[in-house]
Amino acid sequence: MLSRRRFLRTSSVVSLSPLLPSVFTKTAYAAGNESDAKTLVVIQLDGGNDGLNTVVPFGDDEYARARNKLRLPADKLHKLDDYVGLHPSMRAAKELFDDGRLSIVQGVGYPNPDRSHFRSMKIWQTASFENADHDGYGWLGRALDAKPKVSSPAVAPGAIYVGDQETPVALWGRRSQATALSREEDLRLLLNPAFHSEPSSAQDDSLNDFVSRQTLSAVAASEEFNRQQKQTAGSVSSYPNTGLGRRLRLISQVLKGKSQARVYYTAQSGYDTHQAQLYTHSRLLQEFSDAVKAFLDDIKSAKLDDRVVVLAFSEFGRRVKENNSLGTDHGTAGPVFLAGAPVAGGLLGTAPDLANLDDGDLRTQVDFRRIYSTLLSDWLDIDAASVLAGTHKKLPLLCRG
Amino acid sequence: MLNPQTSIWAPYRPSESAPWNLKRVVHLHRRAAFAAPWDVLQRDLVDGPRAAVDRLLKGDESPAFESMAQTIGEAAMVSGSPGRLKAWWVYRMLMSPDPLGERLTLMWHNHFATSNRKVQDLVLMREQNDLLRKQARAPFGELLTAVVKHPAMLAWLDADSNRKGHPNENLARELLELFTLGVGNYSETDVKGAARALTGWTIVGGRFAYREARHDIGEIDLFGTQGPLTGDGLLEQLLNHPGTSKRLAWRICQTFLGEDVVTRAALDELADGLAERELNIGWAVETVLRSRLFFSIENMRSRVLGPTEYVVGVLRALELREPPPSTLVLAEWASRMGQDLFYPPNVGGWNEGRAWLATRTVVARANFADALVSGRLWRPAREPEPDALVHRHSQLDKLAEHVNWLAKLLWGECPEEATAPIVKAARSAEAPLPKALALLLTRPEHSLA
């Protein structure tokens, strides 16, 4: 028998690297001059954020009438104009707003809203209303599959998902790969998998080839991440010690490590506030705005701020009227946030009119696909029409240039 | 009964083209029972499919196991640590003489996905789990009623704050969308009606209670009819709705059959059979596990093994249960592979299938294999001895033969293209067979069952 120590020493480091076809590594993580490319960081607010208590229309008399118990007092809000103000716990977001680094699009949704968390989230993630599409490819997966409008080295740049759950359908593409991680150790391979043959072709859909592809991609991702970590050792920044804070910190590490990925995706869960909403919601919004502010400041000090735009959305807003459990039930439209140096800053769209509702719910003012369309074509340089199956009028979300 | 000549679900009978061989025995155990050790495989190989499936369906009992599980469960409650609760269930899956019962419990955990993230009560989570186990093969009506009236579910979906005049639709919506009918079988009006029917249901002193004064006695719109409706009346209607038998048939096929194996017609036939038998789950599970379709070539290695199945299965197959590895550590590995027990991602549960294999989770599978062979699953660490296992069951002595034997134990066959390079790579390692074992576990043959 081998001694345990001797065994451990050998078992974890025996390299099987010749088994990884180098050509695959190059396809998935090509070394090109892509590290200065523009990137999009998406934060998904899971559970249906109560937009009305996030960007609060204190100037609308109906607000106080509909929100008897959950009403936020106007003098505590961070006023954005003489009609709406941010939730009291969003001080950091207000600082970003004043700094011109936050754009808020009001009343965002889609026609005939679905109040199922799953279907609505799938609609946002796939930009499709067909159930049949909802297990297929996501809007960002399709975007990463598409060729950039401006020609650049022909690579599939990929996306990174940071979180504990499955990779969201938003990132599923036909060719592009999403890397998922929740902490640094997640990408450190101790045992190089036994791979001896390339999948028969990149287009093959057989389950066996799928497993082969995923394994090869994992090996490549692990090597890439280790390389990045060596480059960024020692950089420190102050982030709130919250789930979202830690995830955005990891994204920043990866970004600073000159990752090739164009899209980063994470989520903050807990917005499904059917009852006792006030405290929970306040905590969530503070976590959200503090983490985003810390991230953007970090990115700025690393001089990467002209490369990063943050998009934050939720699958739907809440009913205007509170329920009797000190909470709110599933509703329709809500605000969408865009943050970062490249955004135009300010309020877009019109504040919700609470006197003009659709069966107790907010009317959608802005189709979310207009935001996607703007980001795809003006930020990621991708033909939005092909990704979104149709044209959607763009919005003035970004600074010129 | 199903017509054995024409039914898609006709029972499997060994034949020259579809012999009862090791491959089929391994397939049965990997899909239905987290895999099995060599002796069990050999016994079933001799006894034939009928006896093999019989034994799984019936399960065995062991007072010693139950008493140990009970002790571990109670210690978990006292500790207040969710990790200990997960470890308790992993212990059950690893050691239970009724592995199919545990597999079905896992299936129901995904169907009635409830997260302790919100329930925040280990006692309730364990009670719900025991309930899923106890009713795992029961008529679905009994299971559904017990689960939706259990305080874990009531708390998870805010039933306690749904009352007359102030509906909270959370439970109603998920009841229709996920637990019974499925999308496409109901309207928004039905959700609103169901929420009103469920008013009055609440939790009093940690138990289900019906508060008549909170119940909405008005006319309720449901599936196009109007009238007063109670929560129980609603459940009855849902159980009789064809959508429910279809969704159940789908759930069972999703658990036991692979990708692209089940046709619309097969699902419909199983759903019809369920509807005729008061949604008897035990009947459906038996029908599937005995079927020709289940043992068909296209159903083999066509399903991505879930994280818990992956972790528990390899330990069962390799006889690594004595002394048992740390089930706390095993639960943690399953979580890194994407399945955090008692914490499903949302009420829809885990997506399963290809979604199990993301970069991080593939890395976790490989690192788990490394942790296994280097003994890090045990506290204190203890290296498994695959050489000893091989020698216990065979007279083989060459490394290549040992690797092939392990492949047969794990996959029911030893495809040359998979094992030959592994033998080559392991030969130069200081501990060749453990190295080869770890590499076998990273093969697609091992993630697909």
Side-chain angles (χ1 to χ4, degrees):
Chain A
M1 269 312 288
L2 210 57
S3 82
R4 176 179 146 70
R5 234 178 54 201
R6 198 159 136 240
F7 177 65
L8 280 181
R9 207 175 52 232
T10 54
S11 72
S12 59
V13 295
V14 172
S15 171
L16 288 172
S17 51
L19 302 177
L20 174 70
S22 59
V23 61
F24 191 87
T25 324
K26 285 199 182 115
T27 317
Y29 292 89
N33 284 325
E34 282 276 317
S35 58
D36 56 350
K38 293 166 176 171
T39 59
L40 178 66
V41 177
V42 180
I43 305 172
Q44 174 175 304
L45 309 178
D46 275 335
N49 176 37
D50 181 10
L52 218 47
N53 267 12
T54 306
V55 182
V56 184
F58 65 88
D60 191 330
D61 293 342
E62 292 298 322
Y63 171 70
R65 268 195 278 278
R67 296 289 175 95
N68 187 23
K69 299 247 174 51
L70 296 184
R71 178 175 61 228
L72 298 166
D75 59 343
K76 293 273 167 50
L77 301 172
H78 303 290
K79 297 201 172 111
L80 303 178
D81 60 16
D82 54 9
Y83 196 76
V84 297
L86 285 173
H87 188 286
S89 73
M90 298 180 80
R91 176 191 302 277
K94 176 64 161 54
E95 286 170 27
L96 289 174
F97 188 87
D98 291 343
D99 200 19
R101 286 191 285 167
L102 181 65
S103 295
I104 302 171
V105 192
Q106 304 179 89
V108 186
Y110 54 86
N112 306 312
D114 193 296
R115 290 167 186 78
S116 154
H117 291 297
F118 309 103
R119 182 151 194 276
S120 195
M121 195 52 100
K122 291 266 172 102
I123 288 170
W124 277 87
Q125 291 198 18
T126 61
S128 168
F129 302 100
E130 301 296 325
N131 288 339
D133 294 342
H134 287 173
D135 294 315
Y137 305 119
W139 77 283
L140 292 165
R142 296 196 303 267
L144 294 173
D145 282 346
K147 279 215 169 73
K149 278 194 300 193
V150 182
S151 86
S152 65
V155 293
I160 291 179
Y161 164 67
V162 173
D164 296 325
Q165 295 171 10
E166 298 151 355
T167 311
V169 68
L171 300 180
W172 294 2
R174 185 164 178 76
R175 291 180 298 129
S176 58
Q177 294 278 350
T179 299
L181 63 150
S182 61
R183 41 191 168 175
E184 291 166 34
E185 304 89 274
D186 287 341
L187 283 180
R188 220 156 268 149
L189 262 175
L190 300 176
L191 176 80
N192 221 332
F195 257 89
H196 316 286
S197 60
E198 284 190 64
S200 46
S201 97
Q203 305 296 322
D204 196 311
D205 200 37
S206 86
L207 195 47
N208 214 61
D209 280 359
F210 171 80
V211 182
S212 303
R213 267 204 313 280
Q214 292 303 97
T215 307
L216 286 168
S217 162
V219 173
S222 173
E223 288 175 351
E224 177 65 16
F225 188 75
N226 287 339
R227 193 183 61 74
Q228 286 167 15
Q229 289 303 298
K230 282 194 196 111
Q231 288 177 358
T232 58
S235 78
V236 189
S237 208
S238 75
Y239 278 81
N241 188 22
T242 57
L244 188 63
R246 283 188 294 274
R247 289 193 286 279
L248 287 179
R249 182 172 170 276
L250 187 50
I251 289 178
S252 138
Q253 275 179 285
V254 176
L255 268 169
K256 289 185 205 163
K258 297 195 167 44
S259 155
Q260 313 289 320
R262 303 285 310 275
V263 171
Y264 301 81
Y265 201 102
T266 191
Q268 183 197 11
S269 57
Y271 285 93
D272 200 5
T273 49
H274 285 270
Q275 62 171 344
Q277 179 178 297
L278 272 181
Y279 169 75
T280 309
H281 196 229
S282 167
R283 181 180 57 72
L284 289 165
L285 291 177
Q286 173 154 12
E287 176 180 353
F288 169 70
S289 67
D290 287 357
V292 171
K293 172 87 167 31
F295 174 72
L296 289 179
D297 288 348
D298 184 17
I299 290 297
K300 189 177 179 181
S301 68
K303 298 197 167 38
L304 295 170
D305 52 339
D306 57 341
R307 287 186 46 208
V308 180
V309 165
V310 176
L311 162 72
F313 76 97
S314 193
E315 69 266 39
F316 43 65
R318 296 266 148 177
R319 291 267 156 85
V320 173
K321 217 168 161 36
E322 64 197 24
N323 65 25
N324 209 36
S325 334
L326 300 176
T328 46
D329 288 323
H330 299 184
T332 53
V336 163
F337 298 94
L338 285 126
V343 305
L347 280 163
L348 275 115
T350 46
D353 177 0
L354 304 189
N356 177 19
L357 300 175
D358 177 11
D359 193 19
D361 275 320
L362 294 179
R363 290 178 192 279
T364 293
Q365 311 283 344
V366 176
D367 190 307
F368 72 97
R369 291 170 296 179
R370 294 183 62 191
I371 297 174
Y372 287 3
S373 172
T374 310
L375 289 171
L376 288 169
S377 57
D378 292 0
W379 184 242
L380 296 175
D381 288 324
I382 285 165
D383 176 28
S386 66
V387 173
L388 299 174
T391 53
H392 300 274
K393 206 173 153 215
K394 290 193 292 194
L395 291 159
L397 296 172
L398 300 161
C399 301
R400 298 298 306 167
Chain B
M1 275 310 283
L2 299 169
N3 184 331
Q5 305 309 317
T6 58
S7 168
I8 300 167
W9 297 103
Y12 160 72
R13 301 268 180 261
S15 67
E16 225 164 276
S17 60
W20 180 241
N21 52 15
L22 187 66
K23 195 173 168 176
R24 286 194 165 78
V25 180
V26 169
H27 167 69
L28 170 66
H29 284 277
R30 290 189 86 191
R31 283 276 173 92
F34 305 105
W38 189 251
D39 289 341
V40 169
L41 300 176
Q42 293 305 312
R43 179 198 66 191
D44 285 353
L45 195 53
V46 172
D47 292 355
R50 176 179 288 273
V53 176
D54 277 347
R55 273 194 284 261
L56 283 178
L57 290 172
K58 196 162 159 286
D60 212 342
E61 286 168 23
S62 158
F65 160 72
E66 282 302 335
S67 134
M68 181 55 91
Q70 183 74 12
T71 307
I72 292 172
E74 270 153 30
M77 299 301 99
V78 173
S79 77
S81 141
R84 302 281 294 269
L85 179 73
K86 297 174 204 175
W88 162 75
W89 191 9
V90 172
Y91 180 84
R92 293 201 59 104
M93 292 191 261
L94 190 62
M95 307 299 274
S96 174
D98 177 20
L100 175 62
E102 296 298 328
R103 181 65 192 86
L104 289 170
T105 307
L106 187 59
M107 173 179 87
W108 292 127
H109 181 44
N110 203 21
H111 188 84
F112 294 110
T114 306
S115 173
N116 191 46
R117 216 185 316 274
K118 182 164 168 189
V119 178
Q120 294 282 324
D121 188 327
L122 300 187
V123 174
L124 292 183
M125 293 305 290
R126 181 178 171 222
E127 268 182 19
Q128 186 195 56
N129 192 262
D130 272 331
L131 203 151
L132 300 177
R133 178 174 298 104
K134 210 172 102 199
Q135 312 268 14
R137 299 160 162 108
F140 183 67
E142 292 173 23
L143 175 64
L144 176 71
T145 308
V147 173
V148 297
K149 285 188 174 179
H150 187 270
M153 185 63 80
L154 297 169
W156 171 231
L157 297 179
D158 302 312
D160 46 348
S161 52
N162 177 30
R163 57 185 68 180
K164 178 170 63 181
H166 305 281
N168 182 312
E169 294 169 2
N170 211 9
L171 175 60
R173 183 179 305 279
E174 311 312 5
L175 180 59
L176 267 55
E177 178 178 337
L178 302 171
F179 305 159
T180 61
L181 308 182
V183 169
N185 289 312
Y186 60 89
S187 66
E188 277 300 307
T189 311
D190 297 327
V191 172
K192 286 181 177 150
R196 290 174 62 203
L198 292 168
T199 50
W201 283 22
T202 188
I203 308 171
V204 177
R207 293 290 110 193
F208 170 83
Y210 175 63
R211 285 289 165 88
E212 201 165 359
R214 291 186 191 175
H215 181 67
D216 186 334
I217 52 167
E219 297 263 305
I220 289 174
D221 250 325
L222 189 81
F223 305 138
T225 60
Q226 290 82 32
L229 189 63
T230 63
D232 289 325
L234 170 69
L235 291 187
E236 200 181 317
Q237 288 209 37
L238 296 176
L239 289 166
N240 289 324
H241 193 291
T244 300
S245 54
K246 285 206 167 54
R247 188 156 170 83
L248 278 182
W250 168 81
R251 175 63 76 188
I252 290 163
C253 289
Q254 193 212 27
T255 302
F256 295 113
L257 294 158
E259 217 176 65
D260 299 329
V261 172
V262 183
T263 58
R264 187 76 245 169
L267 266 184
D268 286 347
E269 195 190 335
L270 194 66
D272 290 347
L274 273 160
E276 283 162 24
R277 290 167 183 81
E278 296 184 336
L279 307 179
N280 185 335
I281 298 301
W283 170 83
V285 171
E286 175 170 0
T287 300
V288 168
L289 292 184
R290 289 201 194 282
S291 68
R292 238 173 1 214
L293 193 58
F294 178 80
F295 286 106
S296 66
I297 287 292
E298 62 266 31
N299 189 36
M300 291 186 197
R301 206 164 289 154
S302 60
R303 188 177 172 279
V304 179
L305 214 55
T308 311
E309 294 169 277
Y310 183 95
V311 165
V312 171
V314 64
L315 293 160
R316 287 185 79 104
L318 295 170
E319 302 174 29
L320 295 174
R321 302 190 295 165
E322 198 51 59
S326 161
T327 53
L328 267 169
V329 172
L330 296 185
E332 174 59 29
W333 276 108
S335 168
R336 280 188 227 174
M337 294 178 198
Q339 190 166 40
D340 194 11
L341 295 172
F342 296 103
Y343 291 83
N346 51 49
V347 67
W350 292 279
N351 271 339
E352 307 198 306
R354 295 186 184 212
W356 287 130
L357 298 177
T359 304
R360 173 178 66 104
T361 57
V362 169
V363 170
R365 284 180 187 221
N367 288 350
F368 170 80
D370 183 68
L372 172 95
V373 298
S374 48
R376 299 198 307 274
L377 305 182
W378 285 263
R379 297 281 155 83
R382 171 186 177 275
E383 285 166 32
E385 295 169 9
D387 306 75
L389 175 74
V390 179
H391 288 302
R392 257 204 316 280
H393 296 290
S394 78
Q395 307 296 317
L396 307 167
D397 57 33
K398 287 206 188 100
L399 177 64
E401 292 170 339
H402 289 183
V403 172
N404 283 343
W405 184 85
L406 283 173
K408 284 205 297 197
L409 168 69
L410 295 168
W411 313 331
E413 61 182 342
C414 44
E416 171 82 1
E417 70 277 14
T419 56
I422 288 177
V423 172
K424 198 164 163 234
R427 210 164 256 144
S428 57
E430 289 208 37
L433 198 57
K435 180 77 196 176
L437 171 59
L439 291 176
L440 284 172
L441 301 183
T442 68
R443 288 285 311 178
E445 286 82 356
H446 200 73
S447 269
L448 302 178

